[in-house]
Amino acid sequence: RDEGCDVVWIKANTKLCPKCQNPIEKNGGCMHMTCRKPGGCGHEFCWICMKSWRDHRQCNAVEEDATGKAATKHELLRYAHYFERYLAHHKAEQFASKGLRQASEAVAELFTKSLGVTVSDVAFMGNACNQIRNSRRFLKWTYAHGYFMKCDDAKKRLFEFHQAQLEGTLERLSDIMENTPWGSYMGDEVISFQPFYDLRTRVISLTSVVCDFFSKLQEAMQQENFAGA
């Protein structure tokens, strides 16, 4: 195998842990990353901005303070800011459309067979996957919109506020759907199904909130609240 191709693949698909510099591959859609042990240090961080996940709030906004000779460099950084987030959501959308959906369908089937729950009891998984996929698709285009958007600072901040609300809640939902050890909710050692139904309620609630934030941002953009100063 060509070592040069290996290097190119590593650069394109991995980042270094900001704490221990261990290379980490992103193999899911969620932006919440963990430097897994063994080999890693256990540090949790945001895949996009690389800041600690514990203190992470949002990283969708870009500073617009370039002046003089720094303007050209700033414009390149500004483009990189929006493009990186567009690309991250595009890849996450692809994962939600195939990998996450297939995994969720397999888990749902296991639940109906091993726990005897009804199809309607596990329908929340498919609904969550659909909402994640649709939200990823929408969010990636909001970054294209944000790059070309020309409006006053107040409208820009309002747009970024709505965008951050959708993005932040979506990451919470994606984190649960991708990283929950679903196998721990089934098996002979399970003495109560209540934890499963508690998680189900949480996912349904988060899916509803994501849908609500999606609709609010979509409605505002359709009304052209952010189109022009």
Side-chain angles (χ1 to χ4, degrees):
R1 181 173 177 176
D2 189 348
E3 292 185 1
C5 292
D6 290 342
V7 172
V8 171
W9 186 93
I10 290 173
K11 287 185 176 180
N13 295 280
T14 68
K15 290 184 179 182
L16 298 180
C17 170
K19 186 174 182 180
C20 72
Q21 302 303 299
N22 184 51
I24 298 175
E25 176 189 359
K26 188 175 187 295
N27 56 10
C30 181
M31 305 304 167
H32 178 191
M33 304 301 295
T34 301
C35 185
R36 299 289 183 188
K37 299 177 181 181
C41 64
H43 181 60
E44 299 180 35
F45 61 95
C46 172
W47 176 259
I48 295 179
C49 69
M50 305 300 287
K51 293 181 180 179
S52 171
W53 192 260
R54 178 179 297 179
D55 305 319
H56 191 268
R57 294 295 179 270
Q58 60 190 54
C59 59
N60 62 311
V62 62
E63 294 183 4
E64 303 282 0
D65 59 352
T67 57
K69 295 181 180 180
T72 300
K73 180 179 180 181
H74 175 76
E75 183 57 29
L76 290 174
L77 293 174
R78 180 175 178 273
Y79 173 81
H81 172 94
Y82 286 104
F83 180 73
E84 181 178 15
R85 285 153 179 78
Y86 169 91
L87 187 60
H89 284 297
H90 174 69
K91 290 182 177 180
E93 176 200 347
Q94 292 180 319
F95 175 75
S97 298
K98 188 175 181 179
L100 181 60
R101 170 164 292 284
Q102 291 176 347
S104 297
E105 288 175 349
V107 170
E109 184 176 358
L110 285 174
F111 273 122
T112 56
K113 290 182 177 179
S114 64
L115 299 186
V117 299
T118 65
V119 173
S120 61
D121 282 336
V122 294
F124 74 95
M125 293 183 179
N127 295 336
C129 287
N130 288 337
Q131 189 60 59
I132 291 171
R133 179 200 61 207
N134 294 340
S135 297
R136 294 292 186 191
R137 181 187 299 131
F138 180 43
L139 273 171
K140 74 177 183 182
W141 290 114
T142 66
Y143 280 104
H145 177 84
Y147 178 73
F148 291 105
M149 183 173 61
K150 303 297 182 183
C151 64
D152 58 46
D153 289 342
K155 288 182 178 179
K156 180 175 179 292
R157 287 194 296 270
L158 182 59
F159 167 77
E160 291 172 344
F161 170 76
H162 283 294
Q163 187 184 51
Q165 279 194 314
L166 173 57
E167 196 168 55
T169 313
L170 175 61
E171 292 307 330
R172 290 168 57 197
L173 179 60
S174 296
D175 202 352
I176 292 176
M177 292 302 298
E178 292 181 34
N179 299 317
T180 293
W182 296 104
S184 64
Y185 293 89
M186 62 183 79
D188 296 336
E189 68 280 3
V190 175
I191 60 176
S192 173
F193 296 157
Q194 191 58 46
F196 165 75
Y197 284 104
D198 289 343
L199 180 60
R200 175 179 179 272
T201 299
R202 185 183 175 194
V203 170
I204 291 174
S205 177
L206 268 176
T207 302
S208 177
V209 174
V210 170
C211 182
D212 184 48
F213 286 152
F214 181 110
S215 298
K216 287 180 179 178
L217 178 55
Q218 183 181 49
E219 181 180 356
M221 293 176 68
Q222 288 175 341
Q223 293 176 351
E224 299 185 348
N225 287 353
F226 307 124

